[in-house]
């Protein structure tokens, strides 16, 4: 799955969904794990699911196949 950041227009590839397991206030919080699409970016990012869905839009997989 490919995400587009609504503010910057940057593209990111979905890696996985996860759960925060810090045994604190955030324990069990659903998160999205994602990476920059293309380029030399080696960073992997994690963001709360709700915040991620507010800031990104999902592009269909055909976009990735035709433009990846």
């Amino acid at each position: 799955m490919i995400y587009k950041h609504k503010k910057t227009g940057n593209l990111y590839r979905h890696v996985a969904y996860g759960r925060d397991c810090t045994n604190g206030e955030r324990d069990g919080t659903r998160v999205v794990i994602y990476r920059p699409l293309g380029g030399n970016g080696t960073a992997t990012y994690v963001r709360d699911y709700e915040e991620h869905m507010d800031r990104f839009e999902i592009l269909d997989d055909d976009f990735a196949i035709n433009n990846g």
Side-chain angles (χ1 to χ4, degrees), residues 1-3 5 10-14 34-37 56:
M1 182 177 337
I2 304 299
Y3 297 113
H5 192 282
N10 294 336
L11 301 178
Y12 298 87
R13 181 176 305 281
H14 175 259
Y34 59 103
R35 299 180 63 124
L37 182 66
F56 292 81

Side-chain angles (χ1 to χ4, degrees), residues 12-26:
Y12 298 87
R13 181 176 305 281
H14 175 259
V15 174
Y17 294 110
R19 295 263 180 206
D20 191 320
C21 59
T22 56
N23 293 326
E25 186 175 313
R26 292 181 37 84

Side-chain angles (χ1 to χ4, degrees), residues 11-60:
L11 301 178
Y12 298 87
R13 181 176 305 281
H14 175 259
V15 174
Y17 294 110
R19 295 263 180 206
D20 191 320
C21 59
T22 56
N23 293 326
E25 186 175 313
R26 292 181 37 84
D27 194 40
T29 300
R30 189 172 180 198
V31 297
V32 177
I33 304 162
Y34 59 103
R35 299 180 63 124
L37 182 66
N40 295 326
T42 58
T44 300
Y45 300 102
V46 176
R47 189 183 295 267
D48 289 357
Y49 177 84
E50 296 296 328
E51 180 182 354
H52 182 84
M53 299 313 287
D54 286 342
R55 295 183 182 204
F56 292 81
E57 65 179 292
I58 297 172
L59 302 179
D60 63 31

